Amino acid sequence: MKKGLFYVLSVLFLSIILMTSAKAEGKVRGLSVEKSAETRGVSSIGDIDIEYGVAGYIRVSSTVRVKVSIKKAKEDFNGSVYLKYYAIGDNPSSYSEEISIKKGENAEVYFYPFINNSDPSFRVSFMDSTGKELESYEDDIDVKDADGASEIVVASFLSMDADAVLPGSENFRVKRIYLKEDDVTGDYRALSSFDLVIRPDDYEHVFKADTVDILKERDRQGGVSINESEMSEFNIKRLYLARENQNDWVWRVERVLVPVLDNLNIKSGKYIAIIVIYIIVVSPVTYLILARRKKRVQYWIFVPVWAVIFTVIIYMASTDSRIDGIYMNYVSVLDLREDKDNENVSFSVTNSSNTPYTLEVNNEYKVDSLYGSFTEPAEKTVSRTVYNIENKHAGTDINVLESAAFDTLYLRARGTPNIVTKSAGKFYRDNTVLKGEFTNTLGTDLSKVFAVYDDEIIYLGDVPKNETKSFSAEKESVYLNDLTGGLQDSVYLNRIFDFAYEGENPKLQALMTSVLDKVSILGHSNPAFVALANNRLSGEFSSDVNTAKGYTLVVLPAEKTVDTGVEYDNFVNSIGKLPMYMYDKSYSFSNDALVNRNSVDITYDVDIKKKVRDLRLFARYKEEVNPCRVYALNKLTDRYDVVFEPDEDYINRIKEYVNTGGKSGFNKGNDQECYMGDAYVKDGKLTLRYEIDQTAYDEISSFTIPNIPKISMEYE
């Protein structure tokens, strides 16, 4: 009997295993290709080509184009193409797009996942109209096929022989990728891996209209491009400082996006009062009343009755703190300048229940994962998808197929906002001082308004709607972004945002720093205003969620009017922006020039066609106390002559400044000016020596790294 039962159970167990295996085999059919830049396969649908990257190039921490081509369809096909990957938290996620092709036709589908590691895994699947998977193609990108080392990546449409070296390239790890026009298909995101695109001067005439549209849309979305004739004047240092780093941006926004249920208005006092009343009613009151009437046996009837009544009371009292619906946290950057007009929004979506849902994003915004794809975990046979981003002509659907209560998705979207705005103000230079005015016409109050032009950032404060505010670099707080270091390293914003480690201010400061840096460095010749909108604007990114909370940072257009007293081309507010050399070697950043040395000589390339009139050390540009005595090399005597003196009592003042984190401020002193003669500039070279007394340097360097001052220059 026992043997018979054993045989029956064994047969049943084997049958279950065989059925499970057959079911799994039916779900995943097709070709599996490992470690290739391009996947090819012959399927029941047609000839399938899957290409990762552009011209075989894939970059870590960047968006990569995945091109799925169907050639010579064998039958009519109506269904969807899925790109499956693993996002943060090992959640199987996907992008999808519906396709419909006739027998013999060709079709192309493009996906743009964010690559966040050096060996991502992808799976392209074909689904029929019922959602059944017909076949799939897996691909693991090898570490050697993904570039994670290059600091700057340049895409060039020029021939290798005609392509000149960009000035200053020797200071950075630059990788050059040569493209043909046919390499650029899909949309502007295909070129996301490249920090700079170099085009032929006549590209608008020699390239196809589709290619020209992609290149122009890339520029509008914040990409940097130059024509061949602009290469000799291009400042690669600006590109390096302002290049887009998605991982850095994610770090800045995630503190805002992580869901915090601070929207709950929980008043614990009323619940304590209800519980106290419940205890009094149930215990002494009910018991004493029943005891007086000699019906104590009914006490056990009244206890559950009171429990039900007070449960209902608590439920009704908690309506203002109940969690229900879908919540969104977001950070939106609205660039409303005429040549941009785009919105880049990072957002998180949290669902209060465990039911699947669909979130619609309209206005043709492109949506993808904020964190991107990660290496696939050990379980390679998982075919389920937790959430899917479905591309549509009019927008995107985010389909959450599996959800636990308070699960959160982290996404980003780019598109064109439905907001029309004109110039918000004007800039002009009165002699050497930057001035202008700003008018708030956005229909909402603006906080933390900054005027940005010619590498100067001027803080205007808060400006209510419909109000106008004049500004001057002599009166307002001004920061000179002289390209020797990032705005993040300065204490300028620390003072404005009252630097702290907790609360809302540090979150906003990190976001504002990133936006100001990019607008200032890349758009230095184009005036603009940057501000925080106190309310959401009509026409910006929207979706069908119950509650949205976050920040909207706006970049507003401005106009440059006529300067008075000094011509724009003749005034250089910081020579740190010029090509520089330290001991005859090309050098980029002077904010660490005095590391482990008390003296440094730096040679600057000035305009050889102009004559240098004077050098100036403006008090308004000082971010900290100046400990340096500055000398200029006299080419005639081969000696260094003093041009600027250090600030008085600089050791004690630097100590106080550092100990207070820059909050104490300091007396910036007076402007210093030195007229230059022909003896100091020869063949377009000007050499300055920055020196600190050795004893003073030893004391200062024990608690901080001294910086060299920001020096301005004027041509005749």
Side-chain angles (χ1 to χ4, degrees):
M1 180 66 180
K2 290 183 178 180
K3 287 185 177 181
L5 181 61
F6 173 77
Y7 289 136
V8 171
L9 292 175
S10 298
V11 171
L12 180 62
F13 180 69
L14 289 173
S15 300
I16 292 173
I17 292 177
L18 291 174
M19 289 174 65
T20 305
S21 300
K23 184 176 181 181
E25 186 178 1
K27 281 186 176 179
V28 184
R29 298 183 302 191
L31 182 65
S32 176
V33 181
E34 301 292 332
K35 297 180 175 63
S36 64
E38 187 171 4
T39 301
R40 296 179 180 272
V42 178
S43 72
S44 60
I45 299 173
D47 294 340
I48 307 297
D49 287 348
I50 304 173
E51 179 185 355
Y52 295 89
V54 174
Y57 179 73
I58 298 172
R59 188 179 189 183
V60 179
S61 298
S62 178
T63 297
V64 64
R65 183 192 68 182
V66 179
K67 178 182 178 181
V68 182
S69 302
I70 305 172
K71 300 179 180 179
K72 299 177 182 178
K74 296 181 178 179
E75 301 290 343
D76 293 353
F77 179 75
N78 293 295
S80 299
V81 182
Y82 277 72
L83 176 69
K84 298 184 179 181
Y85 65 99
Y86 278 76
I88 195 163
D90 295 337
N91 289 325
S93 309
S94 64
Y95 296 93
S96 72
E97 185 169 325
E98 293 183 353
I99 60 171
S100 178
I101 55 176
K102 301 291 184 181
K103 181 178 179 180
E105 291 182 346
N106 301 329
E108 292 178 346
V109 177
Y110 295 92
F111 301 107
Y112 302 91
F114 175 61
I115 301 295
N116 205 19
N117 66 311
S118 58
D119 55 345
S121 299
F122 293 106
R123 177 176 169 182
V124 175
S125 300
F126 293 86
M127 307 283 207
D128 64 17
S129 56
T130 65
K132 178 183 178 182
E133 184 177 280
L134 302 178
E135 52 193 56
S136 65
Y137 302 82
E138 291 184 2
D139 201 14
D140 293 338
I141 307 300
D142 201 310
V143 173
K144 64 181 178 62
D145 294 326
D147 178 19
S150 300
E151 289 181 320
I152 296 176
V153 182
V154 179
S156 175
F157 286 96
L158 310 180
S159 66
M160 196 174 298
D161 295 333
D163 214 353
V165 176
L166 291 167
S169 297
E170 63 274 13
N171 294 317
F172 309 98
R173 295 191 301 274
V174 180
K175 189 178 188 66
R176 187 78 60 98
I177 304 295
Y178 291 92
L179 300 180
K180 297 177 293 185
E181 183 183 0
D182 292 341
D183 293 327
V184 183
T185 56
D187 65 30
Y188 70 93
R189 291 174 292 176
L191 300 172
S192 296
S193 296
F194 307 117
D195 300 301
L196 175 69
V197 173
I198 303 176
R199 309 166 300 205
D201 289 335
D202 57 349
Y203 79 97
E204 292 187 65
H205 303 289
V206 299
F207 284 174
K208 294 177 291 188
D210 289 346
T211 307
V212 173
D213 289 343
I214 290 174
L215 293 174
K216 288 186 175 181
E217 181 64 16
R218 178 181 181 275
D219 293 345
R220 200 175 67 82
Q221 294 292 338
V224 181
S225 304
I226 58 173
N227 292 343
E228 182 179 1
S229 59
E230 299 170 319
M231 291 180 62
S232 61
E233 301 296 327
F234 184 74
N235 192 329
I236 199 168
K237 185 161 62 172
R238 289 187 182 277
L239 180 67
Y240 174 79
L241 287 171
R243 70 196 189 285
E244 185 167 343
N245 186 324
Q246 180 64 17
N247 283 338
D248 178 69
W249 180 248
V250 168
W251 172 82
R252 294 172 188 269
V253 301
E254 64 183 353
R255 291 189 294 174
V256 177
L257 302 186
V258 172
V260 179
L261 300 178
D262 55 1
N263 59 309
L264 301 183
N265 184 25
I266 300 178
K267 299 177 181 179
S268 57
K270 63 181 179 182
Y271 296 105
I272 294 174
I274 293 173
I275 292 173
V276 170
I277 294 172
Y278 170 73
I279 294 173
I280 294 173
V281 169
V282 169
S283 184
V285 174
T286 302
Y287 181 82
L288 291 176
I289 292 175
L290 292 176
R292 180 175 295 179
R293 297 183 178 184
K294 298 181 180 181
K295 295 182 179 180
R296 283 179 293 182
V297 70
Q298 297 180 6
Y299 181 74
W300 300 111
I301 298 176
F302 279 92
V303 168
V305 171
W306 285 122
V308 171
I309 292 173
F310 276 87
T311 299
V312 173
I313 292 173
I314 290 178
Y315 178 81
M316 295 177 65
S318 65
T319 54
D320 62 343
S321 59
R322 200 167 299 145
I323 306 171
D324 188 24
I326 301 175
Y327 298 86
M328 175 188 292
N329 287 353
Y330 69 91
V331 174
S332 172
V333 179
L334 274 167
D335 193 337
L336 301 177
R337 290 174 291 180
E338 184 178 357
D339 59 337
K340 300 298 181 183
D341 192 25
N342 66 75
E343 181 178 13
N344 184 354
V345 55
S346 304
F347 62 102
S348 64
V349 181
T350 304
N351 187 18
S352 61
S353 70
N354 59 0
T355 56
Y357 63 94
T358 296
L359 185 67
E360 294 183 358
V361 176
N362 301 316
N363 301 330
E364 300 183 17
Y365 275 66
K366 310 294 185 183
V367 180
D368 56 48
S369 170
L370 178 67
Y371 288 104
S373 59
F374 284 74
T375 302
E376 190 172 344
E379 188 182 1
K380 301 271 291 183
T381 59
V382 173
S383 58
R384 67 186 178 88
T385 298
V386 172
Y387 77 91
N388 172 60
I389 299 174
E390 183 179 0
N391 298 317
K392 293 187 174 182
H393 177 71
T396 305
D397 281 357
I398 303 164
N399 303 302
V400 179
L401 309 177
E402 292 186 12
S403 177
F406 301 108
D407 270 359
T408 301
L409 299 182
Y410 295 90
L411 305 165
R412 63 175 182 171
R414 284 193 175 186
T416 302
N418 186 23
I419 300 175
V420 179
T421 186
K422 298 180 180 179
S423 173
K426 63 181 181 180
F427 288 75
Y428 65 94
R429 203 173 280 283
D430 183 2
N431 287 315
T432 62
V433 180
L434 190 62
K435 297 181 178 181
E437 67 177 24
F438 169 73
T439 302
N440 179 4
T441 60
L442 277 184
T444 184
D445 295 343
L446 296 177
S447 301
K448 300 293 189 294
V449 181
F450 294 85
V452 184
Y453 175 65
D454 193 21
D455 300 306
E456 294 187 40
I457 302 173
I458 303 173
Y459 181 56
L460 278 62
D462 300 343
V463 181
K465 63 180 179 180
N466 302 324
E467 287 198 6
T468 298
K469 184 171 186 178
S470 298
F471 59 88
S472 169
E474 281 187 324
K475 298 178 181 178
E476 276 78 29
S477 176
V478 60
Y479 173 81
L480 176 57
N481 201 345
D482 66 345
L483 307 187
T484 60
L487 181 61
Q488 182 68 38
D489 300 325
S490 76
V491 296
Y492 173 70
L493 291 181
N494 287 354
R495 297 194 196 108
I496 294 173
F497 287 91
D498 192 21
F499 177 75
Y501 292 102
E502 300 293 338
E504 293 300 304
N505 272 1
K507 299 177 185 178
L508 182 56
Q509 179 177 342
L511 300 173
M512 186 66 78
T513 299
S514 181
V515 176
L516 283 172
D517 242 341
K518 192 165 186 177
V519 172
S520 170
I521 295 172
L522 291 182
H524 64 103
S525 60
N526 299 314
F529 296 98
V530 178
L532 171 70
N534 287 8
N535 297 291
R536 285 180 63 83
L537 302 177
S538 175
E540 68 172 297
F541 171 83
S542 62
S543 60
D544 51 345
V545 297
N546 299 82
T547 303
K549 180 182 179 182
Y551 297 120
T552 298
L553 285 80
V554 293
V555 183
L556 300 170
E559 59 181 329
K560 175 66 170 57
T561 57
V562 179
D563 295 329
T564 60
V566 62
E567 295 182 10
Y568 167 78
D569 292 339
N570 286 340
F571 178 67
V572 180
N573 51 14
S574 174
I575 60 175
K577 300 187 291 186
L578 300 175
M580 63 178 69
Y581 305 87
M582 183 181 295
Y583 307 114
D584 297 326
K585 293 184 178 180
S586 180
Y587 191 64
S588 289
F589 305 108
S590 58
N591 63 335
D592 59 353
L594 292 176
V595 175
N596 299 323
R597 60 169 73 92
N598 74 309
S599 178
V600 63
D601 295 348
I602 301 179
T603 299
Y604 300 90
D605 281 347
V606 301
D607 192 335
I608 198 170
K609 299 177 183 178
K610 297 180 179 180
K611 185 177 180 180
V612 177
R613 177 180 179 271
D614 60 29
L615 297 180
R616 299 188 185 186
L617 185 59
F618 286 111
R620 64 177 178 269
Y621 293 146
K622 287 183 182 178
E623 282 301 300
E624 55 191 42
V625 179
N626 173 37
C628 293
R629 178 172 283 107
V630 183
Y631 304 81
L633 176 62
N634 189 315
K635 308 290 184 177
L636 299 179
T637 64
D638 200 30
R639 297 177 61 181
Y640 282 90
D641 299 332
V642 176
V643 291
F644 300 122
E645 294 288 346
D647 290 338
E648 296 180 358
D649 193 25
Y650 57 83
I651 295 179
N652 292 327
R653 292 170 63 191
I654 290 176
K655 284 183 180 179
E656 180 184 2
Y657 180 78
V658 171
N659 290 336
T660 61
K663 292 183 179 180
S664 64
F666 61 94
N667 182 2
K668 296 186 177 183
N670 300 318
D671 296 343
Q672 298 184 52
E673 184 175 8
C674 179
Y675 287 92
M676 308 297 291
D678 296 334
Y680 297 103
V681 180
K682 185 178 180 181
D683 300 326
K685 304 290 184 182
L686 169 67
T687 301
L688 299 181
R689 172 173 291 173
Y690 302 87
E691 186 175 82
I692 304 176
D693 177 77
Q694 183 65 60
T695 303
Y697 177 84
D698 292 340
E699 186 173 353
I700 294 172
S701 60
S702 65
F703 55 86
T704 188
I705 299 174
N707 290 325
I708 65 176
K710 300 175 182 179
I711 296 175
S712 305
M713 180 178 67
E714 187 176 343
Y715 294 107
E716 290 186 354

